[in-house]
Amino acid sequence: MFSFSTITRYQQQLANNELTCEAVVNHYLAEIEKHKGLNAFVEVYADEALEKARALDESRSKGEEMKKLHGVVIAIKDVICYKGHSVTAASKILDGFSSLFTATALQYLLDEDAIIIGNCNCDEFAMGSTNENSVYGAVKNFANEERVPGGSSGGSAVAVQAGMCMLSLGSDTGGSVRQPADHCGIIGLKPGYGRISRYGLLAYASSFDQVGIFGTTVQDVKLLLQIMSRPDNMDSTMTQRALPPTEIEQNKKYKFCYFTQVMEHPSLDAEIRAGIENKIEALKIAGNEVEAVSFGLLDYIVPAYYVLTTAEASSNLSRYDGVRYGHRSNVPAADIDTFYKQNRSEGFGLEVKRRIMLGTFVLSTGYYDAYFAKAQQIRKLLVEKTNEIFSTYDGIIMPVAPTTAPLLGKKDDDPIAVYLADIFTVFANLTGLPAIALPLFSHSDNMPYGLQIMTKNENEVTLLQMAENLMELKTKD
C-alpha cells in the first residue's frame, strides 16, 4: 500500500519503477472516496488526473527526465482559478462559473508536471475561521469529526491531513492557512506579501491575501514555494524576486522573541501556553536566544484587521451582481436596484453579507476617518514596530490559535468571539510578514496544536530554516 513521506522519496520510487503515477493517483482517488464524509472536496478531477498520470508514466518509460513536481498529487482551494474548471469560492453567487484562465501560481506547478486532483471546500469567499460558511456545507476535522478543521482553507488542510493528496494550496488573508494547519496537525505556510503572484486568486482583501501551502515536511513546502515564487508581470504587487535556491541549514542558531502580552493573554488555553513555554526552553537549551518583548498594540490588531479587510471586501465583491456571471434571481425585478439586491441577497451567505455591510459602513461618509483611516494608522504603527523588532531579532514566536479546534456548530453562538480568535494570526497579514504554523504538540483533548514563527518580509529562507530546526527538536522530545 502506498504511503507518502516526501517528494524526494516518492520520485526515487518512481525512478526505481517501484511505483507508477497512475497507481498513486488511483490510491488518492480511493482515499478521497473513503473520506468523502469529511466534505473536503468540492470537485475531484479523476479522469484528467489519471490521464496526466499515464502520460507521465509513459514519459519516464522513454527515459525522459523528471521535472521538479513530476507526479506530485496536489489539491487546490476553491478560490484558485484553473482554466476550464469551476471556481465558486464556495458561494452560490458563482454557481456554474468556469474559469477562463489559470492562476499563475498554479500554472507554475503544472509546468513542473504536478497532478491536480481536485478543488477543496472553504469558507465562502475565504471569510471564516471554521469552514462552516460554505454553500457546500461544513468540512469536518479528520482527527475528530465533531470538530471544525479551521478556516477558511479547511478543505485544503483536511485533504492533506487525511492523506487524500500530498500537498495542497490554500489562501491566507488573516490566518486561513496557518489556523487550519494548526487544528489539523500539519504544516501551513503563509509567504510574505508579494512573494507569490495573486493573479487568478479570487480576491477577499487584496492587500492581505496570499496563496499559501499545506504539507507534511518543511522541504516539500519549500519546493512548492520556490516554484510558485517565480516572477509574474500580471501582479504588480509581487517582489519579482524568486526564493533563492538555498539549502536549509541544520542546527543554525537564532535570536527569537515572543510578546509578553500574547503569552499572558486571557484567551490563550493554559495547556497551549505551557506547551509553547516548554518549546521556548528547548530552543534555549539548543543554543538559541529567546527573549520576552512588550507589545502594547495587541488589542488593536483584530479591530484594525476587520475594518480594513471588510472595507476591501465590500469593494472587491461589488463585481458579483448577476449581470456578467454568477447567480441571477428568478424573481422579476422592477428596476436595476432591485435586480442587484435580489441577486446578491440570494447569492451571498450570511457571513459574506455581514462583512460587506461592515465594510460599506466603515467606508461611508462620516465614518471613513473614524474607522478606516484610524485602522490604516494602526497598520502603519504595526509595520514600524515590526521593523524595530527585526532590527534586533531574527524571528517572532507566537501561538497560532487560542484553543484547539472548536466543536462544529459553535460559530453562530457569538460571531465576535470567532473574530477575536484570529488575534494571533492576523498580525502577519497586517504587516505583510511571512509566517508558518508547525504541528509540534498534542493536547489532552486529543487534538493537535502548534506554534507559529514569523520573520521579516522577503526572508522566507530563514523562516523555513527555523521551521526545520523546530521540527527536528520535535523528533528529539
Side-chain angles (χ1 to χ4, degrees):
M1 184 177 177
F2 175 71
S3 178
F4 175 74
S5 55
T6 68
I7 292 174
T8 300
R9 173 59 184 148
Y10 166 56
Q11 292 186 334
Q12 286 172 347
Q13 291 174 296
L14 291 175
N16 295 336
N17 295 319
E18 299 171 30
L19 291 171
T20 65
C21 293
E22 182 178 5
V24 168
V25 168
N26 275 318
H27 163 80
Y28 283 117
L29 291 174
E31 290 300 301
I32 291 170
E33 178 63 24
K34 177 182 175 182
H35 299 302
K36 64 182 180 181
L38 298 174
N39 200 27
F41 279 84
V42 171
E43 188 175 355
V44 181
Y45 312 142
D47 291 341
E48 65 183 76
L50 286 168
E51 182 181 350
K52 178 69 175 288
R54 294 183 191 113
L56 293 175
D57 289 337
E58 184 178 354
S59 74
R60 283 198 322 283
S61 70
K62 294 177 181 178
E64 295 178 16
E65 185 177 350
M66 289 192 291
K67 293 185 178 180
K68 292 180 179 180
L69 295 178
H70 181 102
V72 176
V73 180
I74 296 172
I76 60 175
K77 185 178 179 178
D78 188 31
V79 293
I80 297 173
C81 292
Y82 188 8
K83 186 176 181 179
H85 299 75
S86 66
V87 56
T88 69
S91 178
K92 184 179 178 181
I93 199 78
L94 281 174
D95 183 37
F97 177 72
S98 292
S99 181
L100 301 176
F101 65 99
T102 297
T104 299
L106 176 56
Q107 187 60 56
Y108 287 154
L109 301 185
L110 292 167
D111 291 344
E112 293 290 348
D113 281 343
I115 298 173
I116 308 304
I117 202 164
N119 70 335
C120 292
N121 201 348
C122 59
D123 283 302
E124 185 181 5
F125 280 97
M127 298 182 189
S129 304
T130 64
N131 214 146
E132 295 172 282
N133 303 325
S134 169
V135 73
Y136 305 112
V139 177
K140 299 176 182 178
N141 194 312
F142 179 57
N144 182 340
E145 293 188 22
E146 295 182 355
R147 294 178 181 262
V148 305
S152 62
S153 308
S156 296
V158 170
V160 173
Q161 177 197 29
M164 294 184 274
C165 61
M166 296 176 181
L167 297 100
S168 66
L169 301 186
S171 65
D172 193 310
T173 306
S176 290
V177 167
R178 289 160 289 149
Q179 187 245 35
D182 179 80
H183 287 349
C184 292
I186 59 175
I187 295 170
L189 171 68
K190 182 202 87 73
Y193 186 76
R195 172 59 72 187
I196 295 177
S197 172
R198 290 184 296 108
Y199 181 70
L201 173 66
L202 298 188
Y204 162 18
S206 302
S207 72
F208 292 77
D209 297 340
Q210 187 63 82
V211 175
I213 305 164
F214 293 101
T216 54
T217 71
V218 175
Q219 289 286 359
D220 286 352
V221 168
K222 183 189 175 191
L223 177 58
L224 258 64
L225 178 62
Q226 283 180 320
I227 292 167
M228 291 194 296
S229 66
R230 294 167 183 166
D232 177 25
N233 291 329
M234 300 300 291
D235 182 359
S236 62
T237 64
M238 272 200 77
T239 62
Q240 305 297 336
R241 291 187 294 276
L243 190 75
T246 309
E247 284 301 313
I248 292 175
E249 297 180 42
Q250 301 288 340
N251 301 317
K252 190 172 180 180
K253 310 307 177 189
Y254 296 98
K255 188 172 184 178
F256 295 95
C257 73
Y258 62 90
F259 299 152
T260 305
Q261 288 86 346
V262 166
M263 296 304 292
E264 296 175 354
H265 200 272
S267 71
L268 184 61
D269 176 88
E271 194 171 328
I272 293 177
R273 179 186 295 111
I276 294 175
E277 287 173 346
N278 289 339
K279 190 60 62 177
I280 287 171
E281 289 306 310
L283 282 168
K284 290 179 180 178
I285 292 170
N288 301 279
E289 294 182 56
V290 189
E291 297 177 353
V293 170
S294 179
F295 190 81
L297 297 172
L298 184 67
D299 290 340
Y300 299 98
I301 289 176
V302 171
Y305 169 80
Y306 276 100
V307 167
L308 295 174
T309 55
T310 55
E312 293 187 22
S314 70
S315 175
N316 280 328
L317 271 63
S318 64
R319 72 193 73 179
Y320 303 108
D321 53 19
V323 175
R324 293 170 293 279
Y325 47 78
H327 174 75
R328 183 174 293 189
S329 176
N330 292 323
V331 180
D335 53 54
I336 192 67
D337 287 344
T338 305
F339 174 77
Y340 288 148
K341 187 183 299 183
Q342 289 176 174
N343 294 343
R344 289 166 65 81
S345 295
E346 294 176 11
F348 288 132
L350 177 62
E351 185 59 34
V352 174
K353 292 175 186 175
R354 181 184 289 128
R355 299 194 192 196
I356 289 174
M357 293 296 290
L358 177 57
T360 303
F361 170 76
V362 301
L363 289 174
S364 61
T365 303
Y367 296 99
Y368 181 94
D369 290 334
Y371 294 99
F372 186 78
K374 282 286 191 297
Q376 290 283 40
Q377 291 170 356
I378 293 295
R379 191 177 198 180
K380 185 173 184 292
L381 286 173
L382 288 169
V383 171
E384 291 172 353
K385 179 65 174 176
T386 301
N387 291 337
E388 180 184 327
I389 289 169
F390 285 123
S391 67
T392 304
Y393 299 96
D394 301 313
I396 300 171
I397 293 173
M398 199 177 292
V400 184
T403 66
T404 56
L407 294 169
L408 287 159
K410 293 295 184 181
K411 72 177 179 67
D412 294 327
D413 294 348
D414 186 357
I416 301 301
V418 175
Y419 294 170
L420 292 174
D422 294 335
I423 187 169
F424 305 135
T425 53
V426 299
F427 174 70
N429 301 82
L430 277 162
T431 53
L433 301 178
I436 192 168
L438 301 172
L440 301 178
F441 311 103
S442 180
H443 198 275
S444 60
D445 64 6
N446 296 317
M447 295 302 294
Y449 72 97
L451 60 74
Q452 67 176 323
I453 320 169
M454 303 174 192
T455 56
K456 64 181 179 181
N457 208 352
E458 297 192 36
N459 203 16
E460 286 87 353
V461 170
T462 297
L463 180 70
L464 292 166
Q465 289 174 340
M466 292 173 173
E468 185 65 39
N469 290 352
L470 275 161
M471 294 298 286
E472 181 67 20
L473 277 177
K474 176 187 177 183
T475 63
K476 295 177 181 177
D477 288 348

mmCIF file of all heavy atoms in Angstrom, residues 397-418:
data_model
loop_
_atom_site.group_PDB
_atom_site.id
_atom_site.type_symbol
_atom_site.label_atom_id
_atom_site.label_comp_id
_atom_site.label_asym_id
_atom_site.label_seq_id
_atom_site.Cartn_x
_atom_site.Cartn_y
_atom_site.Cartn_z
ATOM 1 N N ILE A 397 8.092 34.306 17.857
ATOM 2 C CA ILE A 397 7.363 33.089 18.202
ATOM 3 C C ILE A 397 5.990 33.487 18.754
ATOM 4 O O ILE A 397 5.889 34.408 19.574
ATOM 5 C CB ILE A 397 8.126 32.268 19.251
ATOM 6 C CG1 ILE A 397 9.430 31.729 18.659
ATOM 7 C CG2 ILE A 397 7.272 31.120 19.780
ATOM 8 C CD1 ILE A 397 10.319 31.059 19.676
ATOM 9 N N MET A 398 4.949 32.792 18.289
ATOM 10 C CA MET A 398 3.605 33.134 18.722
ATOM 11 C C MET A 398 2.713 31.889 18.649
ATOM 12 O O MET A 398 2.955 31.016 17.811
ATOM 13 C CB MET A 398 3.036 34.241 17.818
ATOM 14 C CG MET A 398 1.855 34.994 18.408
ATOM 15 S SD MET A 398 1.267 36.341 17.338
ATOM 16 C CE MET A 398 2.628 37.498 17.429
ATOM 17 N N PRO A 399 1.689 31.807 19.486
ATOM 18 C CA PRO A 399 0.700 30.742 19.280
ATOM 19 C C PRO A 399 0.012 30.937 17.927
ATOM 20 O O PRO A 399 0.072 32.021 17.345
ATOM 21 C CB PRO A 399 -0.299 30.941 20.431
ATOM 22 C CG PRO A 399 0.392 31.839 21.403
ATOM 23 C CD PRO A 399 1.349 32.672 20.622
ATOM 24 N N VAL A 400 -0.649 29.912 17.441
ATOM 25 C CA VAL A 400 -1.442 30.050 16.215
ATOM 26 C C VAL A 400 -2.875 30.417 16.557
ATOM 27 O O VAL A 400 -3.457 31.330 15.965
ATOM 28 C CB VAL A 400 -1.416 28.750 15.386
ATOM 29 C CG1 VAL A 400 -2.169 28.945 14.073
ATOM 30 C CG2 VAL A 400 0.008 28.304 15.110
ATOM 31 N N ALA A 401 -3.456 29.713 17.490
ATOM 32 C CA ALA A 401 -4.839 29.951 17.896
ATOM 33 C C ALA A 401 -4.940 29.847 19.406
ATOM 34 O O ALA A 401 -4.141 29.161 20.045
ATOM 35 C CB ALA A 401 -5.764 28.930 17.227
ATOM 36 N N PRO A 402 -5.932 30.506 20.006
ATOM 37 C CA PRO A 402 -6.063 30.467 21.470
ATOM 38 C C PRO A 402 -6.447 29.101 22.012
ATOM 39 O O PRO A 402 -6.148 28.788 23.166
ATOM 40 C CB PRO A 402 -7.180 31.488 21.751
ATOM 41 C CG PRO A 402 -7.292 32.318 20.520
ATOM 42 C CD PRO A 402 -6.889 31.440 19.387
ATOM 43 N N THR A 403 -7.123 28.282 21.185
ATOM 44 C CA THR A 403 -7.584 26.970 21.624
ATOM 45 C C THR A 403 -7.346 25.951 20.516
ATOM 46 O O THR A 403 -6.967 26.304 19.403
ATOM 47 C CB THR A 403 -9.097 26.981 21.940
ATOM 48 O OG1 THR A 403 -9.829 27.214 20.713
ATOM 49 C CG2 THR A 403 -9.449 28.066 22.939
ATOM 50 N N THR A 404 -7.580 24.689 20.819
ATOM 51 C CA THR A 404 -7.598 23.672 19.774
ATOM 52 C C THR A 404 -8.905 23.812 18.991
ATOM 53 O O THR A 404 -9.731 24.686 19.277
ATOM 54 C CB THR A 404 -7.489 22.267 20.377
ATOM 55 O OG1 THR A 404 -8.547 22.082 21.332
ATOM 56 C CG2 THR A 404 -6.151 22.076 21.066
ATOM 57 N N ALA A 405 -9.115 22.961 17.992
ATOM 58 C CA ALA A 405 -10.271 23.067 17.107
ATOM 59 C C ALA A 405 -11.584 23.034 17.889
ATOM 60 O O ALA A 405 -11.836 22.084 18.636
ATOM 61 C CB ALA A 405 -10.241 21.934 16.084
ATOM 62 N N PRO A 406 -12.450 24.044 17.706
ATOM 63 C CA PRO A 406 -13.751 24.041 18.402
ATOM 64 C C PRO A 406 -14.700 22.999 17.826
ATOM 65 O O PRO A 406 -14.481 22.458 16.733
ATOM 66 C CB PRO A 406 -14.286 25.459 18.138
ATOM 67 C CG PRO A 406 -13.128 26.251 17.609
ATOM 68 C CD PRO A 406 -12.217 25.268 16.946
ATOM 69 N N LEU A 407 -15.766 22.754 18.543
ATOM 70 C CA LEU A 407 -16.802 21.853 18.066
ATOM 71 C C LEU A 407 -17.578 22.489 16.919
ATOM 72 O O LEU A 407 -17.731 23.716 16.864
ATOM 73 C CB LEU A 407 -17.761 21.501 19.202
ATOM 74 C CG LEU A 407 -17.180 20.669 20.357
ATOM 75 C CD1 LEU A 407 -18.159 20.631 21.528
ATOM 76 C CD2 LEU A 407 -16.862 19.257 19.883
ATOM 77 N N LEU A 408 -18.058 21.677 16.014
ATOM 78 C CA LEU A 408 -18.912 22.162 14.935
ATOM 79 C C LEU A 408 -20.169 22.810 15.506
ATOM 80 O O LEU A 408 -20.698 22.388 16.531
ATOM 81 C CB LEU A 408 -19.310 21.005 14.022
ATOM 82 C CG LEU A 408 -18.228 20.443 13.095
ATOM 83 C CD1 LEU A 408 -18.594 19.029 12.655
ATOM 84 C CD2 LEU A 408 -18.047 21.345 11.870
ATOM 85 N N GLY A 409 -20.630 23.859 14.825
ATOM 86 C CA GLY A 409 -21.888 24.492 15.204
ATOM 87 C C GLY A 409 -21.791 25.581 16.234
ATOM 88 O O GLY A 409 -22.801 26.197 16.596
ATOM 89 N N LYS A 410 -20.581 25.891 16.706
ATOM 90 C CA LYS A 410 -20.420 26.902 17.744
ATOM 91 C C LYS A 410 -20.278 28.324 17.198
ATOM 92 O O LYS A 410 -20.447 29.287 17.933
ATOM 93 C CB LYS A 410 -19.209 26.573 18.616
ATOM 94 C CG LYS A 410 -19.362 25.301 19.451
ATOM 95 C CD LYS A 410 -20.450 25.460 20.476
ATOM 96 C CE LYS A 410 -20.535 24.236 21.384
ATOM 97 N NZ LYS A 410 -21.623 24.368 22.378
ATOM 98 N N LYS A 411 -19.985 28.455 15.899
ATOM 99 C CA LYS A 411 -19.663 29.777 15.349
ATOM 100 C C LYS A 411 -20.837 30.748 15.431
ATOM 101 O O LYS A 411 -20.638 31.960 15.552
ATOM 102 C CB LYS A 411 -19.211 29.656 13.899
ATOM 103 C CG LYS A 411 -20.320 29.314 12.909
ATOM 104 C CD LYS A 411 -19.835 29.285 11.485
ATOM 105 C CE LYS A 411 -20.963 28.923 10.528
ATOM 106 N NZ LYS A 411 -22.006 29.944 10.450
ATOM 107 N N ASP A 412 -22.063 30.224 15.361
ATOM 108 C CA ASP A 412 -23.226 31.107 15.363
ATOM 109 C C ASP A 412 -23.589 31.602 16.760
ATOM 110 O O ASP A 412 -24.397 32.506 16.904
ATOM 111 C CB ASP A 412 -24.429 30.387 14.742
ATOM 112 C CG ASP A 412 -24.218 30.102 13.254
ATOM 113 O OD1 ASP A 412 -23.555 30.921 12.596
ATOM 114 O OD2 ASP A 412 -24.700 29.067 12.764
ATOM 115 N N ASP A 413 -22.989 31.008 17.794
ATOM 116 C CA ASP A 413 -23.294 31.438 19.155
ATOM 117 C C ASP A 413 -22.815 32.871 19.393
ATOM 118 O O ASP A 413 -23.489 33.665 20.038
ATOM 119 C CB ASP A 413 -22.635 30.503 20.177
ATOM 120 C CG ASP A 413 -23.220 29.094 20.132
ATOM 121 O OD1 ASP A 413 -24.273 28.918 19.487
ATOM 122 O OD2 ASP A 413 -22.618 28.188 20.730
ATOM 123 N N ASP A 414 -21.631 33.188 18.872
ATOM 124 C CA ASP A 414 -21.049 34.519 19.075
ATOM 125 C C ASP A 414 -20.060 34.820 17.954
ATOM 126 O O ASP A 414 -18.876 34.488 18.060
ATOM 127 C CB ASP A 414 -20.348 34.574 20.433
ATOM 128 C CG ASP A 414 -19.856 35.978 20.778
ATOM 129 O OD1 ASP A 414 -20.004 36.886 19.931
ATOM 130 O OD2 ASP A 414 -19.324 36.161 21.883
ATOM 131 N N PRO A 415 -20.524 35.457 16.853
ATOM 132 C CA PRO A 415 -19.621 35.758 15.736
ATOM 133 C C PRO A 415 -18.418 36.599 16.141
ATOM 134 O O PRO A 415 -17.334 36.440 15.596
ATOM 135 C CB PRO A 415 -20.520 36.523 14.751
ATOM 136 C CG PRO A 415 -21.918 36.124 15.099
ATOM 137 C CD PRO A 415 -21.904 35.887 16.580
ATOM 138 N N ILE A 416 -18.591 37.490 17.112
ATOM 139 C CA ILE A 416 -17.488 38.341 17.546
ATOM 140 C C ILE A 416 -16.389 37.498 18.188
ATOM 141 O O ILE A 416 -15.191 37.744 17.999
ATOM 142 C CB ILE A 416 -17.968 39.425 18.533
ATOM 143 C CG1 ILE A 416 -19.040 40.306 17.883
ATOM 144 C CG2 ILE A 416 -16.787 40.279 18.994
ATOM 145 C CD1 ILE A 416 -18.592 41.018 16.626
ATOM 146 N N ALA A 417 -16.774 36.471 18.935
ATOM 147 C CA ALA A 417 -15.782 35.594 19.555
ATOM 148 C C ALA A 417 -14.966 34.876 18.486
ATOM 149 O O ALA A 417 -13.759 34.646 18.663
ATOM 150 C CB ALA A 417 -16.473 34.581 20.462
ATOM 151 N N VAL A 418 -15.608 34.520 17.381
ATOM 152 C CA VAL A 418 -14.894 33.883 16.268
ATOM 153 C C VAL A 418 -13.873 34.858 15.681
ATOM 154 O O VAL A 418 -12.729 34.488 15.393
ATOM 155 C CB VAL A 418 -15.882 33.413 15.181
ATOM 156 C CG1 VAL A 418 -15.133 32.871 13.970
ATOM 157 C CG2 VAL A 418 -16.817 32.340 15.738
#
